[in-house]
């Protein structure tokens, strides 16, 4: 897509990126996993697991419309590498209708910002596949 067109489309979409706060936020991640990856029930990370991950230092972020509907999200699990706490970026998904507006990029920047806020300064040395 041409840069000018991308910038124009990016300006059209007003979103707030924030950590998950409510049960609705965690549940929305289930709908998005089904829609984006076509996961079977057994493959879906359930709200309880995402909540537990966030309780121990993980970061689940949503990108919200004005009506606080979440159509995109990313999830990071905490883990250590060589004894140093890092964030394993596990899932990033943007619903089809919102793609190529720069939302995925903004979610990645928000992950970085949130990690730095928590004094996590190192990226993982290895990556693990997040989908089938
Ligand atoms: C990957 C994804 C999150 C990108 O979201 P997005 O909001 O459209 O991303 P942006 O608008 O910020 O960036 C779009 C750019 O990423 C590129 N891109 C999209 N999917 C990509 C992929 N799997 N690998 C490499 N680049 C990809 C696009 O081609 C586009 O490139 P361009 O800027 O050169 O035109 C979205 O396509 C998605 O949800 N895909 C399905 C799930 C997935 O593969 N998640 C990533 C692994 S967990």
């Amino acid at each position: 897509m041409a840069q000018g067109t991308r910038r124009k489309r990016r300006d059209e979409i007003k979103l707030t990126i924030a950590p998950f706060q409510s049960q609705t936020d965690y549940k929305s991640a289930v709908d998005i996993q089904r829609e984006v990856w076509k996961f079977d029930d057994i493959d879906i990370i359930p709200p309880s697991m995402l909540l537990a991950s966030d309780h121990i230092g993980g970061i689940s972020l949503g990108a919200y419309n004005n009506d606080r509907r979440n159509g995109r999200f990313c999830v990071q699990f905490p883990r250590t590498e060589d004894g140093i706490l890092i964030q394993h970026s596990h899932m990033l998904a943007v619903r089809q209708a919102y793609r190529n507006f720069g939302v995925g990029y903004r979610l990645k920047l928000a992950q970085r910002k949130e990690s730095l806020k928590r004094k996590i300064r190192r990226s993982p040395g290895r990556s693990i596949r997040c989908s089938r």
Side-chain angles (χ1 to χ4, degrees):
M1 186 184 296
Q3 275 305 317
T5 314
R6 177 180 292 285
R7 206 170 302 121
K8 185 167 174 289
R9 291 186 70 191
R10 200 171 283 174
D11 291 342
E12 285 165 13
I13 193 157
K14 301 268 180 271
L15 292 171
T16 307
I17 296 179
F20 286 0
Q21 285 169 16
S22 65
Q23 283 293 332
T24 312
D25 295 339
Y26 285 94
K27 283 181 183 154
S28 68
V30 169
D31 298 336
I32 301 169
Q33 286 177 75
R34 277 209 180 94
E35 187 179 316
V36 170
W37 286 287
K38 316 275 182 253
F39 279 169
D40 295 329
D41 284 349
I42 198 166
D43 295 320
I44 288 173
I45 302 182
S48 57
M49 197 60 216
L50 295 175
L51 193 60
S53 164
D54 287 356
H55 277 159
I56 59 169
I59 305 172
S60 302
L61 298 172
Y64 302 93
N65 291 335
N66 285 341
D67 61 3
R68 222 181 138 76
R69 279 185 54 207
N70 177 24
R72 328 92 187 138
F73 80 110
C74 59
V75 168
Q76 294 188 152
F77 295 131
R79 72 173 163 103
T80 58
E81 195 172 85
D82 305 328
I84 295 168
L85 184 63
I86 60 165
Q87 290 280 321
H88 163 67
S89 180
H90 186 64
M91 293 180 132
L92 167 71
V94 174
R95 282 191 161 132
Q96 189 74 49
Y98 299 102
R99 290 194 189 156
N100 293 309
F101 286 90
V103 179
Y105 181 63
R106 283 174 57 191
L107 277 163
K108 293 305 292 179
L109 288 181
Q111 275 185 329
R112 179 179 184 274
K113 195 172 164 193
E114 194 61 36
S115 298
L116 290 174
K117 212 163 89 182
R118 299 176 191 204
K119 312 249 181 286
I120 296 163
R121 303 188 180 282
R122 183 164 145 181
S123 306
R126 299 179 296 274
S127 65
I128 301 167
R129 277 175 59 98
C130 64
S131 57
R132 290 181 283 191

